[in-house]
Amino acid sequence: MSRESDAELPGDVLPGVLSESLHAELVAFRRDLHMHPELGNQEFRTTAAIKERLEQAGLRPRVLATGTGLICDIGLPEGQRPAVPMLALRADIDALPIPDTKTDCPYRSTVPDRAHACGHDVHTTVVLGAGLVLADLETKGLLSRPVRLVFQPAEEVLPGGALVAIGDGALDNVGRILAVHCDPKVEVGRIGLRHGPITSACDRLEVALDGPGGHTARPHLTTDLVTAAARVAVDVPALVARRVDTRAGLALTWGRIESGHAPNVVPQHAELSGTVRCLDLDAWRDAPDIVHAAIDEIATLHRAKSEINYVRGVPPVVNDRESTELLRRSMVARRGLKSVESTEQSLGGEDFSWYLENVPGAMARLGVRSPGDRMVRDLHQGDFDADEYAITVGVEMFTAAALLDDM
């Protein structure tokens, strides 16, 4: 499928351009996923649909040992090791536990309180489409190196399904890995790129405070847990921010605080939970100790006993320079210089970072905003949707990358 392009080279200089018929098929596939979202580690229907389509193309996908997610090699006979390291293309396949609030949308979610509101259905369809195109090129002798497709479960579940996929061999014999993530701020037909960190680290924090309660008429005989919890909520983020280099972007943000049941009773228990996000890898590694110390200081000051559950999430996604350049060259070859824009580092977390702890790679922000659409629908919102031309853009960028990669 084609739209107006300002490519410096014609799009058909490289093979691997998406046909109108395959674009239509992929749109239908994406809409089916969108209507049937599944949460992390529960993506059985999604896995089966991907597996069936790959097998129809003559490929041999392997479902991960956990039962969801799969790996599929193109251009590598079963049981053989590649002569050169493979390029891997990764997609995440899970949805979010939020309702789909779109109206007048024929493919809105049919599952209550479940929605593909982060674009994983688009990511999945892009990698599937790239796999189908590359499989066809391989049969024609036009694919010079093998490519691995990685359909990963549970990206939204800390510490991320990437660790499951890696443990099941997703990176065996892989020399580089690429991914895309939908970006509603970027217009369709374009991508956002950044060398170095492109996302932040993200951890989960749960704090329990305990102490003797009592009557509000005699607070001096109690541990005032409501005040203690309030001071932890206000003071700990400020302390944490002052104990690291401000350029590290270490931020603690609370999402829940709960204590007490009656207006005249000082409670015996309080809870807070939130996230810790960090732009810098070294500061992220030090974050648990810094956060623990700050919470203990404030809790002790108010005579509260603290119990801290610091759940490690994901490190930042740090794009390798050569892999970022490969994505840039691939996009320029398809759609010209103006199709690539710079993007900022976000405070969102992404478990694609775990792959990059092992092999070089890069993630691009895939534009999904329709031309002329002034309303930016944010990720993780029930009304999120994507311009489906982004599927063609992503597929053709990935197929170009597979042909241009000279690792």
Side-chain angles (χ1 to χ4, degrees):
M1 184 177 183
S2 63
R3 290 191 186 181
E4 184 178 349
S5 171
D6 57 2
E8 61 181 7
L9 296 173
D12 59 0
V13 167
L14 286 173
V17 175
L18 202 63
S19 67
E20 293 277 352
S21 60
L22 184 53
H23 171 82
E25 179 192 343
L26 292 175
V27 167
F29 187 91
R30 180 257 169 170
R31 292 186 176 188
D32 179 70
L33 295 186
H34 201 84
M35 293 174 67
H36 302 92
E38 297 174 301
L39 299 184
N41 298 314
Q42 300 173 23
E43 312 97 330
F44 296 103
R45 184 185 185 279
T46 303
T47 298
I50 300 166
K51 181 174 181 287
E52 179 181 10
R53 185 60 185 92
L54 292 172
E55 288 176 338
Q56 289 175 1
L59 299 170
R60 296 181 177 180
R62 173 175 67 85
V63 176
L64 300 181
T66 52
T68 63
L70 62 157
I71 298 169
C72 183
D73 293 340
I74 302 169
L76 183 66
E78 192 172 11
Q80 291 191 18
R81 291 177 60 88
V84 295
M86 288 190 287
L87 173 70
L89 306 176
R90 173 268 198 175
D92 38 12
I93 67 174
D94 57 324
L96 287 163
I98 63 175
D100 189 334
T101 60
K102 294 190 294 295
T103 58
D104 300 323
C105 177
Y107 52 86
R108 70 193 301 264
S109 173
T110 61
V111 184
D113 299 320
R114 302 288 186 268
H116 268 296
C118 198
H120 294 189
D121 53 335
V122 175
H123 308 164
T124 299
T125 306
V126 165
V127 173
L128 173 66
L132 297 177
V133 173
L134 291 172
D136 180 63
L137 294 179
E138 198 274 331
T139 63
K140 298 174 181 176
L142 297 176
L143 187 64
S144 61
R145 65 193 309 121
V147 175
R148 172 167 294 163
L149 312 179
V150 179
F151 296 92
Q152 173 217 301
E155 190 275 332
E156 300 286 354
V157 181
L158 291 179
L163 293 175
V164 172
I166 293 168
D168 208 347
L171 293 180
D172 293 354
N173 304 310
V174 167
R176 190 193 313 277
I177 188 166
L178 304 175
V180 293
H181 199 296
C182 289
D183 190 337
K185 298 187 297 296
V186 178
E187 187 171 302
V188 70
R190 300 167 65 87
I191 63 167
L193 283 180
R194 176 186 174 89
H195 163 244
I198 192 171
T199 69
S200 78
C202 180
D203 300 333
R204 187 173 72 243
L205 177 64
E206 299 167 347
V207 180
L209 301 175
D210 291 284
H215 202 290
T216 56
R218 293 173 290 278
H220 60 290
L221 301 179
T222 73
T223 293
D224 186 352
L225 283 181
V226 172
T227 297
R231 297 318 309 180
V232 167
V234 173
D235 293 345
V236 170
L239 281 176
V240 167
R242 287 296 179 266
R243 293 179 178 179
V244 295
D245 190 323
T246 55
R247 292 170 296 182
L250 183 61
L252 194 171
T253 305
W254 302 108
R256 183 180 72 92
I257 182 170
E258 183 176 344
S259 184
H261 301 284
N264 62 340
V265 178
V266 176
Q268 296 177 322
H269 183 76
E271 295 180 356
L272 304 91
S273 58
T275 60
V276 178
R277 298 178 186 272
C278 186
L279 301 176
D280 179 76
L281 187 58
D282 290 334
W284 175 71
R285 292 180 174 131
D286 294 335
D289 292 339
I290 295 171
V291 171
H292 269 263
I295 292 171
D296 287 340
E297 285 182 29
I298 301 302
T300 300
L301 182 64
H302 292 273
R303 296 183 300 169
K305 179 183 177 182
S306 62
E307 182 176 339
I308 303 167
N309 181 25
Y310 193 108
V311 182
R312 267 308 201 190
V314 295
V317 172
V318 182
N319 282 349
D320 166 68
R321 185 179 298 278
E322 290 184 2
S323 301
T324 306
E325 175 61 17
L326 174 61
L327 287 171
R328 189 198 70 80
R329 288 193 295 123
S330 301
M331 192 65 176
V332 169
R334 295 298 194 197
R335 288 185 159 71
L337 291 170
K338 294 182 180 179
S339 66
V340 180
E341 62 184 60
S342 297
T343 191
E344 74 283 354
Q345 182 180 5
S346 81
L347 278 169
E350 231 297 345
D351 77 351
F352 184 66
S353 55
W354 291 122
Y355 298 102
L356 304 189
E357 294 276 293
N358 295 272
V359 298
M363 169 176 281
R365 300 197 191 283
L366 180 66
V368 296
R369 179 171 57 85
S370 297
D373 187 355
R374 296 184 178 181
M375 180 180 293
V376 177
R377 295 171 177 83
D378 201 4
L379 301 171
H380 288 218
Q381 299 295 320
D383 64 348
F384 172 78
D385 203 356
D387 186 314
E388 290 167 322
Y389 182 60
I391 295 171
T392 286
V393 175
V395 168
E396 293 185 353
M397 181 181 69
F398 274 162
T399 58
L403 297 170
L404 293 173
D405 187 14
D406 55 4
M407 174 176 279

